[in-house]
């Protein structure tokens, strides 16, 4: 009977988003978060810089605080060490330094649970993949490590890291518990590591019994913040966690740490050690900010051309409010002879990643985009950012956070940058003033009809 109940409940949860307007709104938000996270993974090839200190909160304050500075210190199995170096990792990242010592230095009989938070690109995935690969017994042909991801695509990305890092363990196998991966009833899974989405994993552990949850040694909950934004995932994750044995090591990772994530984390990870790495603050300190007064879209375009005529702009990002403006502007700039890339909301995540990649390689010099797609993109090599439209939220108020995100720089030694805001109405002047007040940093007027003046700002 309990098996029937569980399948019924899942159905109910899936129906809810369609019957409730609020829920479906948050559903779209989730799609965005998952897409953003995937995009980040696709375009990231390096660790992000973060000069902050890692905060460590230990469950047992008397236990010594380790932090490993080398992969050797972790006493990884030789095959794993080989895998790590083959991936080009020389030293553990900040978060790995602390997380891996909590996870691996303690003996397997006394596994430590962990909740870890740090922004995307700081090396969380590699940390828990190493944890799973260290604990797994390749000779045992049943699932021993279970990893939950919010979406199929994210599960695949993590799977790739497991495969790369574990490639010197040819007998290690990985199974994907994702919708569409149908197995025959009564079958048992031989793969030692299972990675999947909560709904399917729950089915495989309970209703279908492909996995014996009592034999799981390491349980990983990845992207907890994205996870709980999806209707039903939170309950499913908790129900999976309840089936696991007491001595199973539980690890939870999240890029952000809102209250809701924190509450969820404490529900699924008993007696945790906690590791946090604060996001590096973005600042406007090294940015010269200007605004240009125009009357309409065409004048804004003209101002942009004047700017290009007067100063050498290696690479620029231009932000528009709507897709329509973005594609119009991209077309106009192309007509002027610029090599333009367009990043637009209707593009698939993989397509967006490809566009960003080309831009990074310098194949195009201008990237025109709307808000939605450009969140979370590193613009390190871009020295000029143009707000063709100022960032506003859905109520038309200034979106300070987005403004900072578009033009701000992280790191004390971040390169100097130039930001130009196009103002085309009283309303947008008002927005600009409010942004200026918010950051308490002057945004100077620039006359783009005056070539000499423009030349000056470039120095
Ligand atoms: N110790 C290391 N040395 C060098 N590069 C590393 C190291 N650890 C991870 N990387 C690389 O840095 C990038 C980011 O790592 P990873 O994907 O693990 O970050 P993350 O925190 O999990 O990000 P996300 O939140 O997007 O999942 C990857 O390209 C990864 O290969």
């Amino acid at each position: 009977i309990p098996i029937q109940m569980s399948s019924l409940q899942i159905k109910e949860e899936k129906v809810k988003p369609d019957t409730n307007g609020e829920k479906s709104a948050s559903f779209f938000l989730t799609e965005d978060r998952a897409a953003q996270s995937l995009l980040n993974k696709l375009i990231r090839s390096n660790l992000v810089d973060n000069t902050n200190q890692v905060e460590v909160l230990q469950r047992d304050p008397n236990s010594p605080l380790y932090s490993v500075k080398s992969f050797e210190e972790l006493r990884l199995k030789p095959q794993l060490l080989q895998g790590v170096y083959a991936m080009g990792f020389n030293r553990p990242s900040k978060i790995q330094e602390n997380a891996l010592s909590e996870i691996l230095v303690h003996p397997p009989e006394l596994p430590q649970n962990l909740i870890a938070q740090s922004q995307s690109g700081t090396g969380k995935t590699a940390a828990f993949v190493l944890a799973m690969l260290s604990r797994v017994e390749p000779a045992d042909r049943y699932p021993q490590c279970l990893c939950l991801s919010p979406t199929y695509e994210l599960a695949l990305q993590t799977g790739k890291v497991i495969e790369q890092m574990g490639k010197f363990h040819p007998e290690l196998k990985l199974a994907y518990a994702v919708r569409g991966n149908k197995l025959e009833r009564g079958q048992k899974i031989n793969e030692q590591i299972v990675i999947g989405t909560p709904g399917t994993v729950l089915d495989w552990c309970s209703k279908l019994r492909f996995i014996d949850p009592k034999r799981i040694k390491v349980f990983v909950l990845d992207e907890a913040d994205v996870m709980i934004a999806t209707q039903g995932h939170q309950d499913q994750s908790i129900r999976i966690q309840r089936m696991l044995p007491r001595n199973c090591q539980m690890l939870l990772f999240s890029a952000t740490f809102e209250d809701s994530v924190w509450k969820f984390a404490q529900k699924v990870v008993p007696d945790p050690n906690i590791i946090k790495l604060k996001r590096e603050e973005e600042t406007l300190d090294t940015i010269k900010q200007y605004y240009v007064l125009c009357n309409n879209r065409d004048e804004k375009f003209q101002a942009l051309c004047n700017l290009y005529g007067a100063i050498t702009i290696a690479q620029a990002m231009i932000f528009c409010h709507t897709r329509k403006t973005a594609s119009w502007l991209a077309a106009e700039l192309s007509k002027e002879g610029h090599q333009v890339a367009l990043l637009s909301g209707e593009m698939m995540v993989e397509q967006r990643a490809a566009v960003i990649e080309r831009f990074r390689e310098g194949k195009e010099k201008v990237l025109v985009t709307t808000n939605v797609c450009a969140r979370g993109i590193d613009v390190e090599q871009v020295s000029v950012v143009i707000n063709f439209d100022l960032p506003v939220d859905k109520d038309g108020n200034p979106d300070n956070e987005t403004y900072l995100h578009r033009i701000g720089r992280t790191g004390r030694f971040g390169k100097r940058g130039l930001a130009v805001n196009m103002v085309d109405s009283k309303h947008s002047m008002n927005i600009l003033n409010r942004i200026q007040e918010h950051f308490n940093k002057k945004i100077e007027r620039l006359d783009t009809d005056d070539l000499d003046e423009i030349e000056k700002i470039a120095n």
Side-chain angles (χ1 to χ4, degrees), residues 115-324:
I115 295 175
Q117 175 259 324
S118 69
Q119 81 198 73
S120 136
T122 45
K124 298 187 295 296
T125 307
F128 67 74
V129 168
L130 269 178
M132 291 197 289
L133 291 175
S134 297
R135 295 272 193 227
V136 77
E137 189 44 74
D140 294 342
R141 304 272 169 199
Y142 56 81
Q144 302 152 46
C145 302
L146 188 55
C147 176
L148 297 186
S149 278
T151 65
Y152 170 64
E153 291 81 6
L154 288 166
L156 285 189
Q157 289 304 312
T158 305
K160 278 191 196 157
V161 178
I162 300 177
E163 274 166 17
Q164 274 180 295
M165 230 174 231
K167 82 170 173 196
F168 297 99
H169 259 311
E171 64 287 26
L172 256 184
K173 295 279 180 287
L174 178 60
Y176 290 96
V178 292
R179 220 177 308 156
N181 195 359
K182 296 258 181 292
L183 301 177
E184 260 173 57
R185 271 192 183 262
Q187 203 179 324
K188 285 270 184 254
I189 291 179
N190 302 320
E191 287 85 350
Q192 297 89 342
I193 301 178
V194 179
I195 171 158
T197 46
T200 308
V201 171
L202 183 60
D203 280 354
W204 285 22
C205 287
S206 58
K207 194 169 61 173
L208 300 167
R209 298 187 187 278
F210 294 153
I211 302 172
D212 178 0
K214 285 280 168 276
R215 295 169 105 178
I216 298 294
K217 296 193 273 195
V218 183
F219 176 60
V220 178
L221 245 151
D222 191 22
E223 313 237 11
D225 49 352
V226 183
M227 194 77 94
I228 64 164
T230 307
Q231 183 70 21
H233 274 178
Q234 182 160 346
D235 294 344
Q236 289 161 344
S237 303
I238 292 169
R239 282 162 61 195
I240 295 165
Q241 190 265 3
R242 298 226 171 109
M243 289 188 258
L244 304 172
R246 226 167 233 291
N247 60 355
C248 174
Q249 185 169 40
M250 320 244 172
L251 311 169
L252 179 141
F253 294 81
S254 182
T256 61
F257 234 155
E258 311 79 287
D259 271 356
S260 53
V261 180
W262 180 233
K263 284 201 188 105
F264 171 59
Q266 288 182 308
K267 256 191 238 169
V268 281
V269 183
D271 305 321
N273 295 294
I274 299 160
I275 290 178
K276 287 191 206 182
L277 178 59
K278 277 213 195 78
R279 200 191 173 83
E280 179 115 40
E281 298 279 328
E282 289 167 312
T283 85
L284 298 176
D285 288 349
T286 53
I287 312 295
K288 291 192 275 187
Q289 303 174 74
Y290 294 94
Y291 73 92
V292 183
L293 270 184
C294 308
N295 290 307
N296 51 46
R297 192 174 80 168
D298 294 326
E299 279 188 31
K300 292 203 277 189
F301 178 65
Q302 192 50 53
L304 187 60
C305 293
N306 291 354
L307 211 58
Y308 263 100
I311 59 175
T312 312
I313 299 175
Q315 270 193 310
M317 269 178 92
I318 307 181
F319 290 92
C320 301
H321 189 59
T322 63
R323 274 185 220 174
K324 213 175 134 207

Side-chain angles (χ1 to χ4, degrees), residues 414-434:
K415 277 186 246 137
R416 297 182 68 81
L418 179 64
V420 180
N421 297 287
M422 305 284 182
V423 169
D424 61 2
S425 62
K426 273 216 179 76
H427 176 67
S428 61
M429 193 62 225
N430 174 268
I431 303 275
L432 187 90
N433 284 331
R434 283 161 70 190

